Amino acid sequence: MLTRYDLFILPFLYGFVTLGYQILYVRRLVSIFGSSEIGYTLIITIWLFFTGLGAYMAEKTGIRRGSRYISVAIYGLVAVVFYGAIPRLYDIWNLQPGEVTGLLTMAATSVLALVILCLFSGALFVGIVRTVSAHSRITSLSFVYVVESLGSLAGGVALTFVCLTLIPDRYTALVLFLLIVAFMFVKMDKKLLLMPPRVTVGVMCVFAGVAFALGQFGHQYENQEVVAQTNTAYQHLTLTEYESQYTLYSDGLSFFSYPQVQEAEEIHLTMWQKEEIENIAMIGICPPDKIAEILKYENVRIDIYENDRTLLEFLVKHLPEPAGQYYANPQIKYDWGDPYIDITKNGQDYDFVIINISNPTDAVSNRYFTVDFFEHLSTRLPEDCVLSFSLPGRTHLLGRDLQEFLGTIYNALRTGFNNIKIIPGDDYIFLASNDSSMIDLDVNALLAAKEKNQIQTTSVDSVYLSYRLNEFNLLKAQPIYNNELSAANTVSRPVVYYYNSILWASRFSGLEEAVLKFWKENKYLIYILLFLPLISLLNLVKRSVHRPAYFSICFLAGFSGITMEMSLLILYQSHLGNVYSQIGLLIGLFMVGMALGGALPLRSKGTTIFMKKWFYLGAAIGVVVLFGLAMITRLEGHQFLNYLLILGLSFLSGGFSGYLFNYAAVSYKHKYGAEAPGRFYLADLLGASLAGVFISVLFIPLIGFGSILALFFVLYLVYVILHRFVIIGV
Amino acid sequence: MACGAGCACLPFNPVENGLALFQNAYALETTDTLSHVKAMYYKKLEGTAIECELCPRHCLVTDLERGYCGVRENQGGEYYTLVHSRACAMNIDPIEKKPLFHFHPGTAAFSIATAGCNVNCKFCQNWDISQVRPEQVTNVELPPDEIVRICQARSVPTVAYTYSEPIVFYEYMHDTCVEGRKFGIKNVMITGGYIEKEPLKKIIPLMDAIKVDLKSYSQQYYEDVVNGELQPVLDALKIIHDDGMWLELVYLVVPTMNDSTKELTDLCRWVKTNLSDHVPIHFTRFHPTYLMTNLPPTPVKTLEKAYDIARQSGLKFPYIGNVPGHSAEHTYCPGCGELLIERLGFRINKINLKDGMCGKCGTHIPGVWS
Ligand code: SF4
């Protein structure tokens, strides 16, 4: 007989270990794929989907009571072995060191790595629900759901703040594995094990050891020496060395390499625009060679706005001299706050502002290429200040996608600046000012400025400038200037994500690109998707089909939960900067909300009066969430209020999801006298996984945060109608 | 792909850039139609199938299908090139950008390309035109006589077939060479060298110089990174050299992948034994791009290692490319060590050659100088 304590421990440990593995797997896979919005979304989606499927299959195949222990054993074993073997999965695709991966490879690798683990994980959930059910009279699905949320919260906090910052990931994997082993022995029925306990544990340890050894080899840095690795509050950094060439990787993607052979041409093309240069602002830390180029100008003062202090410490410590000397030059002043906010608040006048962020691939970097930011800068800086940045181009072809990508940023830039020049090339250099006499791309004028400043360069010379600034080359930018079709990139509609995804996908098989383009060309389908829940609901109501209504609410719980979680994370990054250090708090509040929201219906007795009470509560939470979400986009500039609002919403939206799930579970049990954990869990996770894909890849980039509001409104309506007319009944 | 030099070759792209300018000056037109010109090398198989005999892939192509390169199509049992006179990139480049260092230094080349390539290098600098079908880029209708007209109008002495892989637009290149010759225009081919012997032998007499990108000296590398084969390229090199054509080699040094001392030594030995110690070999710096963005750029140390190996192996004209200001960009006399051609990037600072001979000791310097 399991005690009440055991009944709590089972789902708590399940939540703890599951979330722990989820974090580990995401990090592991991302470190190989390279971090990208699509990469994250894909892994989470696959995780959620297969876990749901595992639960469903377990329910359908009628998992035996005792086999949960076998599930536990296999779960731990599979998890740690696959974790260790992830880099080897790469061999299947014959990928080379340093090679980037396409969507299909990412998806296939993730499925291979996760499928067995997730199926077992889902089955285990059902096993735990059954176990609790056999030992108590409460609605076990709801109880497990609530306690599992608390376990996940603990797992998230422990991994984010303790394990991963203090010990390497592979040790953490082992710790989780041992927890699983301990879990097996809490109250296991030894007769139900596949093998005698000692043999089981022995075999698992061997596997874990093999995985541990395998896990040390990653293809991506093969043959390079890994000089140092660290987790900062914002990113995972790796510095490699190969024949005295140092390369810095941030979250698995190459950030910069040192030394650079070619001088940073955009630095000189910017600096030669003014006769007297005193103050320069640089947003984001840059490679040491770039600083060296700026320091060639006498008496300049450089303010570097960067929020990751550990990054500088890491670079100074591990890069060979003279890199450290460049960074420590007394002409440089560092501002360690949020660059977006600090530069717009700082009263310093600048001659040049250089945005040193290579590509707007996520919400944080996107902020610096938006209408919002350019307008702030424009009002804050002197008229003759020159803003410059460069974005990845293509050597030859300004294809339609690249044109639209650069066009969205140009259209944003021109809301703040009226004099803009673009220099096409491998990198497209953007120069902007509000003084129409600034920005001269005449080769002779530039060479005169070079002469006057007595700048020595080997690559930025007369031949190079004539080549780069010749009429043919400059004319390549014409379609960007004329691009009226691309929407201006803004914080609340970061359309640049979408074009980035297309550009990224175009390197791989045509399928990935075609899928993404399909949605842009058939944007109306996204609006149909928005209203799909309503359409299917009407069908349910019309046919008076009750049972699926409960699962639909669960689907809604998953869908709205992930929608909100992702939206809030992106909103946080867009309005308040890097979320890395706050992600634990945001997800933690979401989980607490989920546990509390999920606990509320547990007290329901299933009578109509109670039903109605919960109906009003759910409706109220929905209204508050909706209103709060609308408010965030209106509170631009009110940092603290926004901060509170986002935290509050995280809690509330977690509560809303938890409440929805358990409301459906409790009322289903009251009505049908039995539980359906597999189907409920599948519905929940299916909703969550679909939301992951659609929200981050399509809804937000293509139709903006407004679409999230609309979507939420529709979901809310669906909830109200389902609840009122199907479950309570008219 | 052929521009494996990894240089920042920036062709004039007719799609969205200086088209208006070019159109005004030369009355060029973009076109949505593909060409319908019979391919020169294929054999008919049973039914309507054909076998392409242009490159060692020997694609077997059924009716309405295309070969691997995507620019040749079987239409009813006849094989057609779809890109004849369909240029998707063009520019006037210094000849040093190709890079051809022993071929009329300091002159310009009108450089053209069509879509398509017969291999798929994971480090391709020009993947946006080489790894697509002609429908995916905008093309200018640029027939051979138009190319000649542009060269004459802008006093450009040479046409370079480059950027993507000219082998896949063989018929276009062939006809342009023939047309150009009539007016004294020179032709240079910048290729990966993955071509069958017969078409190669036919095109050589129409060329003035050929630069071949030897991607590696390892079949495994060709399989894993290039999706091609080493031996046919080595065979092509021998044919080009034995036919007396001016040949320069580029070896794009991709860090950790094709830069081992053994591979570089074997390569240099092979060049010396099978070609000549006078064949210039450019070890160029890789810049992370296309599918290989997570590799570092080639360390200068690695390039210097390759340069030293080449020198020790007895090769007379090794160079380091894509490192502006490096002393190994210059040409030195193998006889007395005198600096003969001083370069800085694409710029020629000084030439100390007299009638193709060292200005100091009179040693003959192989190349095409006048
Ligand atoms: S030229 Fe093209 S079609 Fe012909 S064999 Fe080569 S890849 Fe195939």
Side-chain angles (χ1 to χ4, degrees):
Chain A
M1 182 71 190
L2 292 170
T3 63
R4 288 179 69 177
Y5 173 75
D6 296 331
L7 290 182
F8 185 83
I9 284 285
L10 274 172
F12 186 88
L13 260 179
Y14 173 79
F16 188 97
V17 172
T18 310
L19 201 91
Y21 273 133
Q22 194 174 352
I23 293 173
L24 278 176
Y25 269 82
V26 169
R27 284 169 63 100
R28 180 70 150 196
L29 287 163
V30 160
S31 77
I32 292 172
F33 297 149
S35 66
S36 66
E37 297 284 343
I38 287 194
Y40 280 117
T41 306
L42 192 76
I43 300 164
I44 298 285
T45 302
I46 288 169
W47 183 286
L48 295 172
F49 174 73
F50 281 105
T51 306
L53 192 65
Y56 179 75
M57 285 164 64
E59 185 178 293
K60 279 286 157 199
T61 52
I63 190 168
R64 285 178 297 120
R65 202 191 117 216
S67 60
R68 65 185 176 272
Y69 298 126
I70 298 169
S71 292
V72 172
I74 298 175
Y75 178 57
L77 188 95
V78 163
V80 77
V81 168
F82 270 74
Y83 174 78
I86 284 175
R88 292 292 137 199
L89 289 175
Y90 245 41
D91 293 341
I92 300 170
W93 319 116
N94 194 24
L95 291 168
Q96 304 303 310
E99 183 174 353
V100 290
T101 39
L103 204 56
L104 292 178
T105 318
M106 269 191 204
T109 310
S110 302
V111 169
L112 278 175
L114 300 177
V115 62
I116 300 174
L117 168 70
C118 290
L119 288 176
F120 272 107
S121 177
L124 191 56
F125 179 85
V126 173
I128 291 171
V129 172
R130 290 267 161 88
T131 307
V132 173
S133 175
H135 292 86
S136 74
R137 277 183 290 139
I138 50 171
T139 309
S140 51
L141 172 59
S142 307
F143 173 77
V144 169
Y145 185 78
V146 169
V147 181
E148 183 225 343
S149 302
L150 293 174
S152 300
L153 170 65
V157 171
L159 256 83
T160 309
F161 296 110
V162 186
C163 300
L164 296 178
T165 44
L166 297 180
I167 52 175
D169 292 12
R170 59 181 190 278
Y171 291 103
T172 309
L174 274 189
V175 169
L176 287 180
F177 163 74
L178 291 174
L179 261 179
I180 286 280
V181 175
F183 180 25
M184 272 170 56
F185 283 95
V186 169
K187 282 282 173 183
M188 68 170 44
D189 184 345
K190 294 175 181 59
K191 280 179 283 194
L192 292 168
L193 276 176
L194 285 172
M195 291 176 276
R198 266 182 228 168
V199 180
T200 309
V201 173
V203 170
M204 286 168 78
C205 286
V206 169
F207 271 90
V210 171
F212 183 71
L214 277 177
Q216 301 203 45
F217 302 108
H219 248 339
Q220 65 271 41
Y221 308 126
E222 207 162 88
N223 300 325
Q224 295 189 67
E225 192 195 326
V226 175
V227 177
Q229 283 189 307
T230 193
N231 285 316
T232 79
Y234 304 99
Q235 57 201 321
H236 178 75
L237 297 172
T238 303
L239 185 72
T240 62
E241 190 257 338
Y242 184 72
E243 307 213 332
S244 305
Q245 185 74 37
Y246 290 78
T247 306
L248 180 72
Y249 294 86
S250 165
D251 290 332
L253 290 179
S254 171
F255 184 22
F256 68 73
S257 202
Y258 172 78
Q260 302 268 26
V261 176
Q262 267 97 343
E263 288 113 350
E265 55 184 327
E266 82 263 32
I267 296 288
H268 296 300
L269 286 172
T270 309
M271 305 285 271
W272 293 340
Q273 300 299 333
K274 256 190 172 182
E275 298 227 330
E276 304 297 329
I277 310 161
E278 280 177 28
N279 296 314
I280 298 168
M282 184 171 273
I283 298 172
I285 214 158
C286 67
D289 322 70
K290 239 185 187 176
I291 293 188
E293 292 302 307
I294 301 179
L295 290 173
K296 285 180 178 174
Y297 297 81
E298 268 181 23
N299 303 324
V300 287
R301 261 199 54 228
I302 313 170
D303 287 351
I304 296 183
Y305 292 85
E306 167 66 54
N307 51 7
D308 195 349
R309 191 191 279 259
T310 318
L311 169 61
L312 179 75
E313 289 163 4
F314 183 80
L315 293 175
V316 169
K317 185 170 174 195
H318 299 292
L319 281 179
E321 288 300 352
Q325 287 165 25
Y326 294 145
Y327 286 124
N329 191 293
Q331 287 164 255
I332 303 174
K333 204 178 111 219
Y334 292 94
D335 179 309
W336 296 115
D338 179 17
Y340 184 97
I341 295 162
D342 285 10
I343 195 167
T344 46
K345 287 197 173 152
N346 185 335
Q348 178 69 52
D349 276 351
Y350 292 112
D351 297 303
F352 302 114
V353 173
I354 299 166
I355 301 178
N356 194 56
I357 292 161
S358 60
N359 199 359
T361 48
D362 56 29
V364 177
S365 49
N366 182 61
R367 300 161 86 205
Y368 301 102
F369 298 94
T370 54
V371 169
D372 319 50
F373 186 59
F374 294 140
E375 281 179 349
H376 279 314
L377 271 187
S378 167
T379 43
R380 136 96 184 78
L381 295 169
E383 199 170 71
D384 66 346
C385 171
V386 176
L387 171 74
S388 79
F389 55 87
S390 62
L391 290 166
R394 278 191 189 160
T395 317
H396 295 315
L397 200 68
L398 180 63
R400 194 67 60 196
D401 306 325
L402 184 58
Q403 183 185 317
E404 294 195 39
F405 166 73
L406 297 171
T408 60
I409 292 175
Y410 170 75
N411 288 343
L413 189 58
R414 70 178 180 176
T415 58
F417 297 88
N418 52 35
N419 177 17
I420 303 170
K421 298 233 166 75
I422 304 171
I423 304 170
D426 245 358
D427 287 325
Y428 272 62
I429 300 171
F430 285 67
L431 298 168
S433 174
N434 273 323
D435 183 337
S436 54
S437 66
M438 301 300 295
I439 312 180
D440 187 353
L441 297 184
D442 176 68
V443 174
N444 293 329
L446 292 170
L447 290 172
K450 179 183 179 188
E451 191 71 33
K452 184 175 170 288
N453 287 291
Q454 298 181 340
I455 302 299
Q456 299 294 319
T457 61
T458 49
S459 56
V460 190
D461 61 6
S462 58
V463 173
Y464 182 82
L465 287 177
S466 312
Y467 170 70
R468 184 89 200 243
L469 301 175
N470 72 51
E471 54 188 346
F472 289 165
N473 198 42
L474 291 181
L475 271 166
K476 279 184 189 169
Q478 205 57 47
I480 303 173
Y481 298 122
N482 297 341
N483 197 336
E484 298 295 335
L485 293 177
S486 303
N489 187 44
T490 66
V491 162
S492 54
R493 190 185 165 196
V495 68
V496 130
Y497 287 4
Y498 174 78
Y499 292 116
N500 246 325
S501 305
I502 292 263
L503 287 172
W504 168 80
S506 63
R507 281 187 277 180
F508 308 105
S509 84
L511 180 71
E512 286 133 337
E513 200 181 344
V515 167
L516 284 167
K517 280 190 173 165
F518 171 83
W519 287 100
K520 173 148 183 284
E521 277 148 25
N522 301 286
K523 223 195 253 179
Y524 64 92
L525 281 177
I526 301 180
Y527 293 99
I528 293 181
L529 270 183
L530 269 178
F531 290 94
L532 207 57
L534 264 189
I535 298 166
S536 42
L537 170 76
L538 288 179
N539 191 33
L540 278 183
V541 174
K542 205 173 119 215
R543 288 164 52 213
S544 281
V545 180
H546 285 201
R547 221 178 265 253
Y550 294 89
F551 304 129
S552 301
I553 289 186
C554 255
F555 180 88
L556 274 184
F559 199 99
S560 60
I562 287 290
T563 300
M564 283 303 292
E565 209 176 334
M566 292 184 78
S567 304
L568 288 171
L569 286 175
I570 294 177
L571 276 171
Y572 187 99
Q573 294 175 76
S574 302
H575 291 275
L576 299 163
N578 211 311
V579 74
Y580 223 80
S581 56
Q582 298 283 322
I583 202 162
L585 186 61
L586 271 171
I587 295 181
L589 279 170
F590 185 87
M591 291 292 184
V592 170
M594 209 156 132
L596 287 178
L600 289 176
L602 285 177
R603 299 178 55 228
S604 162
K605 302 284 183 295
T607 64
T608 305
I609 291 171
F610 271 100
M611 294 272 193
K612 282 192 175 155
K613 186 172 129 194
W614 300 123
F615 165 69
Y616 292 127
L617 181 68
I621 297 178
V623 169
V624 174
V625 169
L626 203 59
F627 180 72
L629 201 56
M631 283 297 291
I632 292 177
T633 46
R634 297 266 152 257
L635 283 175
E636 174 72 47
H638 298 84
Q639 308 293 337
F640 189 65
L641 262 182
N642 252 341
Y643 179 69
L644 287 183
L645 205 54
I646 289 174
L647 292 186
L649 275 187
S650 195
F651 172 77
L652 272 184
S653 55
F656 189 53
S657 294
Y659 165 77
L660 281 184
F661 184 95
N662 268 355
Y663 172 76
V666 168
S667 42
Y668 183 92
K669 191 181 176 191
H670 283 312
K671 181 142 188 172
Y672 298 102
E675 296 192 62
R679 275 170 286 172
F680 273 103
Y681 209 40
L682 175 64
D684 180 40
L685 296 186
L686 203 59
S689 56
L690 278 178
V693 175
F694 285 118
I695 298 303
S696 67
V697 182
L698 296 178
F699 280 46
I700 293 177
L702 280 180
I703 46 180
F705 277 100
S707 67
I708 301 296
L709 273 179
L711 177 68
F712 221 77
F713 183 70
V714 171
L715 294 180
Y716 176 66
L717 264 184
V718 170
Y719 157 72
V720 168
I721 298 172
L722 275 180
H723 197 129
R724 185 70 188 81
F725 297 103
V726 180
I727 293 174
I728 297 178
V730 184
Chain B
M1 148 352 268
C3 192
C7 61
C9 295
L10 275 170
F12 157 65
N13 156 35
V15 187
E16 279 99 3
N17 49 49
L19 176 61
L21 200 80
F22 252 73
Q23 276 176 330
N24 291 342
Y26 308 111
L28 303 179
E29 297 238 335
T30 56
T31 175
D32 290 336
T33 63
L34 301 177
S35 70
H36 192 255
V37 173
K38 221 22 130 40
M40 290 167 76
Y41 292 94
Y42 69 97
K43 85 172 170 225
K44 294 188 178 191
L45 303 175
E46 257 179 48
T48 50
I50 64 96
E51 179 181 341
C52 180
E53 294 179 312
L54 180 55
C55 89
R57 267 188 201 283
H58 280 258
C59 296
L60 300 174
V61 188
T62 52
D63 193 16
L64 295 178
E65 294 293 332
R66 294 190 193 173
Y68 177 88
C69 53
V71 298
R72 307 176 156 264
E73 190 171 282
N74 179 344
Q75 295 174 7
E78 301 289 352
Y79 209 35
Y80 293 93
T81 165
L82 306 175
V83 289
H84 194 292
S85 306
R86 298 295 187 275
C88 71
M90 60 182 103
N91 203 23
I92 295 172
D93 292 335
I95 198 79
E96 280 71 23
K97 272 182 99 256
K98 302 296 108 191
L100 281 167
F101 276 15
H102 290 223
F103 183 85
H104 299 289
T107 61
F110 182 54
S111 308
I112 57 164
T114 74
C117 185
N118 58 352
V119 292
N120 177 9
C121 305
K122 292 180 176 178
F123 49 76
C124 183
Q125 307 278 326
N126 298 325
W127 63 275
D128 47 347
I129 53 175
S130 69
Q131 300 305 321
V132 294
R133 291 192 158 207
E135 295 90 336
Q136 290 171 270
V137 291
T138 310
N139 304 299
V140 155
E141 186 153 2
L142 188 66
D145 56 345
E146 203 65 49
I147 294 173
V148 171
R149 202 162 70 80
I150 292 172
C151 288
Q152 288 176 322
R154 295 195 63 105
S155 306
V156 178
T158 306
V159 179
Y161 309 92
T162 179
Y163 303 138
S164 54
E165 173 51 71
I167 291 166
V168 305
F169 58 90
Y170 184 91
E171 293 78 8
Y172 182 27
M173 172 168 66
H174 176 274
D175 295 352
T176 309
C177 288
V178 171
E179 187 67 20
R181 289 245 142 173
K182 290 185 202 158
F183 298 91
I185 290 179
K186 297 175 192 66
N187 297 290
V188 295
M189 177 164 74
I190 312 303
T191 174
Y194 193 48
I195 183 171
E196 269 304 334
K197 294 181 179 69
E198 205 189 320
L200 177 63
K201 283 181 177 160
K202 187 172 168 83
I203 202 82
I204 287 173
L206 298 172
M207 290 292 161
D208 294 277
I210 297 178
K211 188 216 82 179
V212 175
D213 291 304
L214 185 56
K215 317 282 181 186
S216 158
Y217 192 64
S218 140
Q219 172 56 25
Q220 195 60 46
Y221 183 92
Y222 264 88
E223 275 171 29
D224 292 342
V225 183
V226 177
N227 198 10
E229 299 162 89
L230 172 64
Q231 194 54 48
V233 179
L234 297 179
D235 294 344
L237 285 173
K238 276 201 247 183
I239 292 171
I240 295 167
H241 185 262
D242 293 350
D243 273 14
M245 174 55 43
W246 180 249
L247 170 69
E248 298 196 22
L249 294 177
V250 159
Y251 190 90
L252 180 73
V253 184
V254 183
T256 77
M257 303 198 69
N258 65 353
D259 60 345
S260 71
T261 303
K262 182 180 180 319
E263 185 171 350
L264 291 166
T265 309
D266 291 348
L267 161 83
C268 293
R269 279 199 195 127
W270 185 89
V271 171
K272 191 175 176 207
T273 315
N274 294 277
L275 305 176
S276 148
D277 57 3
H278 283 96
V279 173
I281 181 162
H282 304 256
F283 296 104
T284 54
R285 189 172 202 234
F286 158 85
H287 174 74
T289 188
Y290 188 32
L291 297 174
M292 306 303 280
T293 50
N294 268 346
L295 275 184
T298 319
V300 175
K301 217 174 172 180
T302 313
L303 295 167
E304 287 168 345
K305 175 180 85 177
Y307 180 86
D308 290 342
I309 289 172
R311 278 235 175 259
Q312 282 154 18
S313 307
L315 298 186
K316 300 274 195 300
F317 299 104
Y319 294 99
I320 286 179
N322 285 347
V323 187
H326 198 284
S327 59
E329 277 189 309
H330 313 316
T331 303
Y332 300 93
C333 173
C336 65
E338 177 74 358
L339 175 61
L340 298 177
I341 305 178
E342 187 185 315
R343 300 180 182 84
L344 185 63
F346 310 138
R347 189 169 73 197
I348 303 288
N349 283 342
K350 188 176 94 181
I351 299 185
N352 184 17
L353 280 174
K354 285 194 191 99
D355 301 326
M357 290 191 272
C358 170
K360 188 178 172 195
C361 71
T363 302
H364 171 69
I365 307 300
V368 185
W369 304 112
S370 56

